[in-house]
Amino acid sequence: MSTFDYDLFVIGGGSGGVRAARVAAGEAGAKVALAEEDRYGGTCVIRGCVPKKLMVFASGYGGMVEEATHYGWDMLNRGFDWQTFSGHLNNELDRLEGVYRKLLAGSGVTTYDARARLKDPHTVELSTGETFTAKHILVATGGRPVRPDMPNAHLGIVSDDIFHLENLPKSILIIGGGYIACEFACILAGLGVDVTQYYRGAQILRGFDDEARGLIAESMRELGVDLHTGTNIVEMDCYREGDDDGMDAPVEATQYAMPVKDAPQEGPLKVKSTNGHIKVFDQVLFATGRRPNSDDMGLEEIGVTLGRGGAIEVDEYSQTKVPSVYAIGDVTDRVNLTPVAIREGMAFVETVFNGNPTKVDHDLIPSAVFTQPELGTVGLTEEQARDQEPIEVYCASFRPMQSAFADKPGRVLMKLIVSQETRKVLGCHIVAPGAGEMIQLAGIAVKMGATKEDFDRTVAVHPTMSEEIVTMRKPMRTA
């Protein structure tokens, strides 16, 4: 008979932790508890993938109405109502959180709405004062957005705050060039916000294919985003009426409904940038990175090693240096994607409770950036591949039929990176509406090791954008 209160205690109610708890309890028959200090569903469901994708959908309808006129439709566009949308959004998030709670209860998992920390390798202490012992402890606490280390950074918001805005700002400055910054720049521009974006690097979306991210930057500017690369924020403070010294243009007193007085965090902000410009924005969003949630959990005290930025160091089976303690998901800072955290949770249960040591394959993971248009990617970029071996690059960039008919400027990109020696497709990169849907299917072929000739043998679906993936016969270049 076990001397522990639980076979498994999971800390964190996000997608990875919930999946591990459910499978361990419902399928492996383990006695499982889970503690979550905030809302069930974690970053993805509550403050990330799901609400953000719903905002992507919302932001696209304005352009659809305009485009529809070219197709003969006479449609009325009365503008976007944030209160209507946010009300529906909050209801949906409440519903999804309820689903997560029901799934845990249905699997026999005991849940605690409390913060948890490790007291020793087998003991968890809750903020309620309760302590429980467990044979195995799984840390799945995710990550959080961070503000830069600069004066008045608290005046700005981070990605978590977007979903709680009472009103949309008229203007916003977004700091950062990663996928979160670029996605919200497109979303907010699509909702009618005047968006400016500063990124200190030479090009946005560092780490993605150069040609693809160049097209995304061009498309964002066409969407109306005032994108400045090689630019960063120097100073930020609250703006007070009449404080127009050095500004690009004076601010009219009627521009803001509530001038800043005793609550500067609720009013416009005056920002100076490295390019010398001084401007006023309703809001500033910092999308400058994330950090694992490993602080004040007692991890290092019991021997768990924390790496760069507080990431929990684990082996290929998600086990820490303390044998009874495992960690999965963003808190390990391996591949910070929800489906990866879920896979890691499943592999953990298979390893620990089913006696089948299972590693998670972190190679060739498809992913998408939900800009407008979207970027779908799997495998190596052109730059990574050419540093590895001789390659051929097949690509096509064109205006898709739907946009061309409506006389819209947007272009799409279909790109394959092919090994000259093995003929395998090393990478696939798509910039297009619906690229996230396309790359999921292309990812299967790339993961299976398909060659360029395998793609060529596949008959095209016509007329589609994606048919270019199987009709490109001659390489654009070799490297």
Side-chain angles (χ1 to χ4, degrees):
M1 187 174 179
S2 175
T3 58
F4 299 103
D5 296 322
Y6 295 101
D7 300 314
L8 171 65
F9 200 108
V10 179
I11 304 176
S15 297
V18 167
R19 179 63 64 89
R22 285 177 52 210
V23 176
E27 297 182 15
K31 186 178 181 182
V32 181
L34 182 148
E36 168 57 54
E37 66 174 324
D38 196 357
R39 300 186 66 180
Y40 287 70
T43 295
C44 181
V45 173
I46 302 301
R47 62 192 74 88
C49 323
V50 171
K52 180 184 66 181
K53 189 66 180 289
L54 293 172
M55 289 185 74
V56 169
F57 292 147
S59 68
Y61 284 111
M64 289 180 187
V65 172
E66 180 184 352
E67 189 174 281
T69 62
H70 293 271
Y71 283 86
W73 287 92
D74 184 7
M75 302 179 71
L76 182 64
N77 184 357
R78 291 176 175 161
F80 175 72
D81 188 307
W82 172 254
Q83 276 72 32
T84 298
F85 170 75
S86 60
H88 288 314
L89 177 64
N90 289 328
N91 289 339
E92 176 64 5
L93 300 186
D94 290 343
R95 184 188 72 82
L96 291 172
E97 182 180 11
V99 169
Y100 267 61
R101 287 179 177 273
K102 288 178 182 177
L103 288 172
L104 287 167
S107 299
V109 177
T110 302
T111 56
Y112 298 94
D113 293 351
R115 175 175 172 78
R117 65 191 313 277
L118 281 71
K119 194 172 182 180
D120 63 45
H122 291 283
T123 305
V124 173
E125 182 178 27
L126 303 185
S127 54
T128 58
E130 300 170 281
T131 60
F132 299 99
T133 59
K135 185 175 182 180
H136 304 285
I137 297 172
L138 177 65
V139 181
T141 47
R144 66 185 185 278
V146 294
R147 288 176 169 79
D149 183 14
M150 62 170 290
N152 294 327
H154 67 283
L155 298 177
I157 62 175
V158 292
S159 59
D160 287 0
D161 303 319
I162 286 283
F163 311 111
H164 303 294
L165 292 175
E166 291 186 12
N167 298 286
L168 276 185
K170 293 180 181 178
S171 64
I172 192 168
L173 170 64
I174 298 177
I175 309 295
Y179 73 93
I180 294 175
C182 295
E183 287 173 338
F184 277 116
C186 291
I187 287 169
L188 293 171
L191 296 179
V193 178
D194 183 5
V195 179
T196 302
Q197 184 176 354
Y198 291 167
Y199 177 52
R200 64 185 181 183
Q203 184 57 284
I204 58 170
L205 297 174
R206 181 171 61 89
F208 291 90
D209 184 86
D210 280 356
E211 194 170 11
R213 62 194 187 127
L215 181 55
I216 292 291
E218 179 184 323
S219 300
M220 288 174 63
R221 291 187 171 104
E222 290 172 350
L223 186 64
V225 177
D226 186 14
L227 175 61
H228 297 262
T229 55
T231 306
N232 205 351
I233 188 171
V234 176
E235 297 175 3
M236 179 175 74
D237 204 348
C238 56
Y239 169 78
R240 302 190 183 269
E241 285 188 21
D243 182 18
D244 298 335
D245 291 346
M247 288 180 50
D248 293 12
V251 176
E252 297 181 9
T254 57
Q255 183 170 349
Y256 300 102
M258 296 182 62
V260 178
K261 295 187 184 300
D262 298 325
Q265 71 277 11
E266 296 180 358
L269 300 170
K270 182 177 179 180
V271 176
K272 181 177 181 181
S273 66
T274 52
N275 60 18
H277 292 289
I278 301 175
K279 296 183 69 175
V280 170
F281 301 92
D282 273 354
Q283 192 60 265
V284 174
L285 167 65
F286 291 111
T288 50
R290 296 179 63 84
R291 179 181 174 87
N293 285 325
S294 59
D295 300 343
D296 190 31
M297 290 190 63
L299 293 165
E300 289 182 295
E301 289 87 337
I302 67 169
V304 174
T305 302
L306 300 185
R308 181 180 178 183
I312 297 178
E313 293 188 357
V314 294
D315 64 14
E316 53 198 357
Y317 297 103
S318 296
Q319 189 175 34
T320 71
K321 287 188 176 180
V322 177
S324 59
V325 179
Y326 291 74
I328 60 170
D330 290 7
V331 76
T332 66
D333 199 22
R334 287 178 286 183
V335 179
N336 296 340
L337 296 170
T338 296
V340 174
I342 292 172
R343 286 290 183 96
E344 290 170 355
M346 298 283 284
F348 159 77
V349 174
E350 195 67 21
T351 298
V352 174
F353 292 100
N354 292 338
N356 179 28
T358 302
K359 304 175 185 177
V360 174
D361 184 358
H362 290 108
D363 190 31
L364 296 175
I365 296 173
S367 64
V369 179
F370 294 105
T371 45
Q372 297 177 23
E374 298 172 5
L375 166 60
T377 181
V378 62
L380 300 178
T381 67
E382 179 179 346
E383 295 71 39
Q384 292 168 336
R386 72 187 180 202
D387 289 341
Q388 173 180 295
E389 61 179 290
I391 60 169
E392 293 176 348
V393 178
Y394 296 79
C395 61
S397 182
F398 54 94
R399 278 204 302 169
M401 179 188 297
Q402 185 174 1
S403 300
F405 186 84
D407 197 26
K408 296 296 181 181
R411 300 180 67 82
V412 302
L413 172 71
M414 306 287 162
K415 184 171 184 178
L416 296 176
I417 314 299
V418 178
S419 167
Q420 290 189 25
E421 180 181 359
T422 67
R423 305 301 299 157
K424 282 186 177 182
V425 176
L426 303 175
C428 178
H429 311 282
I430 301 173
V431 178
E437 305 289 348
M438 298 183 208
I439 205 65
Q440 176 69 83
L441 302 181
I444 298 172
V446 174
K447 186 69 173 178
M448 291 177 67
T451 64
K452 179 62 171 66
E453 287 66 36
D454 290 327
F455 275 65
D456 294 343
R457 281 194 294 271
T458 304
V459 177
V461 178
H462 181 75
T464 65
M465 292 179 287
S466 57
E467 67 181 295
E468 294 291 334
I469 289 291
V470 299
T471 59
M472 297 184 289
R473 291 293 184 263
K474 295 182 179 180
M476 291 287 290
R477 54 188 172 272
T478 59

